[in-house]
């Protein structure tokens, strides 16, 4: 067991701040601090009348190991500024190290080059490093490669053990379940879950696919008309036929089974609702959705409430109290334990591999 007095064995003290002015986000920080047996550090984070963010640290952080916990609220850009200013304030107050604890890394969906867009998560990573972050703890990055955007150590913890535990404890007849990927993109994750639960998998593919399909990417939509003159005559680019999506098919049998759809983020629920309809048609008698990050923006809770989905299970990486009030189908798995353990291990200079001991390659 861990006692606060163990803190004194390390060089610096430990200070935990929450960088969020949003009240519902303090919940996770409080849980983490309680588990570590420390008080939350005294700090004021607020918006001035002109919407500027102001951070006032109200205790000394000189020579301390500082952990800044930041959960993403609805106003994601304020969230980022709060984090940057907080980290910079700790850095200019001579903190020994500054570890960011961002259970959900904002802008992580924008991590691929789109037509005339930019790789925004790389920009956010650079900003955080520039502000003075020396280490990052996060959970289930949308793409593992985002780790490489940082020039500091990144611990990408996984929520899958908690979701697997939920399935085993809260779904009474889970042995009659099949793990479903709502698009081929999440098939690896589904396979990883299925192997550890010793269940089968099913993959939905075809027309109704999510926005992350290749269509939005300029490289997959070549010009349909031949443009001569613009290029050298001997260099004619061959014309590709635009991809046609086949009608929806479900690879794998879901008839008379519980279907458990797994994904990393649930935000825009259209694709989940459509997948649930498809599974119902194919004879699934109960439909669960398991995801790490429940962003659930705008009307998502209402759509879930009206859909064929029986239960949506997300973790508390992102506060979603309001969404739960709108939709009783939303359930929460608590992941504060693994975050507090990660903080304790980093602070005491212990190995982190224990936290990854049951993690599949494809989680």
């Amino acid at each position: 067991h861990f006692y606060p007095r163990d803190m004194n064995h390390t060089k610096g003290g430990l200070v935990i701040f929450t960088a969020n002015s949003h009240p519902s986000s303090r919940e996770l920080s409080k849980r983490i601090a309680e588990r570590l047996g420390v008080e939350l550090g005294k700090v004021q984070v607020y918006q001035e009348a002109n919407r500027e963010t102001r951070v006032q640290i109200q205790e000394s952080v000189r020579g301390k190991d500082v952990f800044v916990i930041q959960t993403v609220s609805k106003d994601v850009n304020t969230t980022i500024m709060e984090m940057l200013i907080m980290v910079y304030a700790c850095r200019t107050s001579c903190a020994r190290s500054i570890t960011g604890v961002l259970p959900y890394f904002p802008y992580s969906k924008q991590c691929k080059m789109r037509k005339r867009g930019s790789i925004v998560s790389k920009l956010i990573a650079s900003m955080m490093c520039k502000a003075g972050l020396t280490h990052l703890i996060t959970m289930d990055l949308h793409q593992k490669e985002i780790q490489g955007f940082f020039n500091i150590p990144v611990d990408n913890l996984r929520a899958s053990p908690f979701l697997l535990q939920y399935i085993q404890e809260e779904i009474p007849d889970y042995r009659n379940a099949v793990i479903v990927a709502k698009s081929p993109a999440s098939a690896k994750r589904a396979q990883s879950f299925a192997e550890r639960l010793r269940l089968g998998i099913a993959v939905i593919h075809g027309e109704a696919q999510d926005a992350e399909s290749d269509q939005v990417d300029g490289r997959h939509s070549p010009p349909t008309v031949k443009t001569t003159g613009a290029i050298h005559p001997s260099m004619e680019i061959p014309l590709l036929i635009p991809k046609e999506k086949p009608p929806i098919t479900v690879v794998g049998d879901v008839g008379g089974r519980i279907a458990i759809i797994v994904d990393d983020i649930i935000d825009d629920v259209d694709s989940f609702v459509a997948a649930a309809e498809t599974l119902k048609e194919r004879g699934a008698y109960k439909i669960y959705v398991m995801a790490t990050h429940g962003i659930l923006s705008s009307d998502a809770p209402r759509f879930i409430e009206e859909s064929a989905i029986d239960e949506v299970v997300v973790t508390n990486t992102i506060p979603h109290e309001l969404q739960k009030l709108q939709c009783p189908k939303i359930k929460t798995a608590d992941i504060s334990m693994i975050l507090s353990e990660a903080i304790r291990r980093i602070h005491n200079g212990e190995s982190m591999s224990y936290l990854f001991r049951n993690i599949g390659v494809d989680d």
Side-chain angles (χ1 to χ4, degrees):
H1 259 289
F2 171 74
Y3 299 100
R5 63 162 183 267
D6 291 357
M7 290 301 178
N8 306 331
H9 298 322
T10 51
K11 292 182 198 74
L14 167 107
V15 188
I16 295 178
F17 289 122
T18 175
N20 212 315
S21 55
H22 201 271
S24 67
S25 309
R26 300 228 176 96
E27 185 57 39
L28 185 64
S29 311
K30 280 201 195 99
R31 284 187 180 203
I32 291 172
E34 271 168 27
R35 283 181 187 274
L36 289 170
V38 296
E39 291 284 309
L40 274 179
K42 293 181 196 63
V43 63
Q44 273 196 312
V45 183
Y46 57 94
Q47 262 63 52
E48 290 190 15
N50 63 357
R51 302 286 294 132
E52 281 183 12
T53 299
R54 190 171 284 269
V55 170
Q56 289 176 329
I57 297 174
Q58 292 162 327
E59 61 180 88
S60 169
V61 295
R62 184 176 295 270
K64 304 268 178 74
D65 283 337
V66 175
F67 290 83
V68 180
I69 301 170
Q70 180 66 309
T71 47
V72 176
S73 63
K74 268 204 161 54
D75 188 355
V76 64
N77 297 333
T78 301
T79 297
I80 290 165
M81 277 318 285
E82 285 175 348
M83 181 74 188
L84 293 171
I85 295 170
M86 175 75 132
V87 168
Y88 192 58
C90 291
R91 178 188 167 187
T92 46
S93 303
C94 302
R96 189 171 82 114
S97 68
I98 305 162
T99 304
V101 183
L102 283 101
Y104 170 69
F105 188 71
Y107 283 92
S108 62
K109 275 199 151 180
Q110 298 189 48
C111 60
K112 288 193 171 82
M113 191 62 179
R114 300 279 180 229
K115 190 178 185 180
R116 296 199 187 96
S118 65
I119 303 174
V120 185
S121 54
K122 165 68 182 164
L123 172 66
I124 305 289
S126 306
M127 284 158 67
M128 287 186 177
C129 294
K130 199 75 183 157
L133 207 62
T134 59
H135 195 135
L136 177 72
I137 300 174
T138 183
M139 284 201 94
D140 284 336
L141 283 172
H142 185 52
Q143 300 286 343
K144 290 196 196 72
E145 292 79 357
I146 295 174
Q147 284 197 31
F149 294 162
F150 289 85
N151 47 16
I152 56 171
V154 175
D155 284 304
N156 180 22
L157 303 172
R158 308 292 202 279
S160 59
F162 297 90
L163 297 173
L164 291 165
Q165 186 185 3
Y166 188 95
I167 293 172
Q168 288 169 318
E169 291 176 4
E170 305 293 329
I171 303 178
D173 200 9
Y174 86 93
R175 298 208 176 281
N176 186 34
V178 60
I179 306 291
V180 180
K182 71 171 171 54
S183 69
S186 50
K188 272 188 163 179
R189 190 180 178 83
Q191 183 190 348
S192 176
F193 270 63
E195 279 172 4
R196 281 181 286 167
L197 291 165
R198 298 193 169 84
L199 298 173
I201 81 165
V203 180
I204 301 174
H205 85 118
E207 195 38 72
Q209 271 204 331
D210 49 343
E212 263 192 70
S213 66
D214 290 332
Q215 276 189 325
V216 281
D217 190 332
R219 290 168 298 191
H220 292 274
S221 48
T224 43
V225 285
K226 272 204 168 156
T227 49
T228 43
I231 352 170
H232 196 269
S234 66
M235 270 179 52
E236 257 187 27
I237 295 171
L239 282 184
L240 302 174
I241 294 109
K243 279 202 290 194
E244 293 258 336
K245 288 214 178 110
I248 287 190
T249 47
V250 178
V251 184
D253 181 27
V254 294
R257 300 283 188 83
I258 298 170
I260 304 173
I261 303 173
V262 297
D263 218 327
D264 63 332
I265 296 173
I266 177 166
D267 181 5
D268 177 23
V269 294
D270 294 352
S271 54
F272 290 92
V273 170
E277 288 298 324
T278 307
L279 294 166
K280 266 272 185 284
E281 283 165 24
R282 302 291 198 286
Y285 71 90
K286 229 175 174 184
I287 295 162
Y288 290 83
V289 174
M290 317 285 297
T292 306
H293 306 296
I295 302 176
L296 301 163
S297 358
S298 55
D299 280 340
R302 189 169 57 82
F303 290 141
I304 292 168
E305 198 51 49
E306 293 164 4
S307 73
I309 299 168
D310 292 288
E311 203 168 287
V312 172
V313 182
V314 291
T315 71
N316 52 347
T317 52
I318 297 172
H320 50 268
E321 283 77 20
L322 291 171
Q323 286 92 323
K324 283 177 89 164
L325 291 174
Q326 291 171 275
C327 174
K329 288 181 183 179
I330 299 170
K331 303 279 190 280
T332 313
D334 179 25
I335 45 82
S336 62
M337 187 273 283
I338 197 168
L339 292 172
S340 52
E341 184 59 16
I343 291 173
R344 190 188 70 76
R345 282 170 177 268
I346 288 168
H347 177 61
N348 290 334
E350 295 172 24
S351 159
M352 296 286 280
S353 57
Y354 174 79
L355 300 182
F356 293 96
R357 70 195 183 287
N358 294 327
I359 300 302
V361 185
D362 296 319
D363 274 16

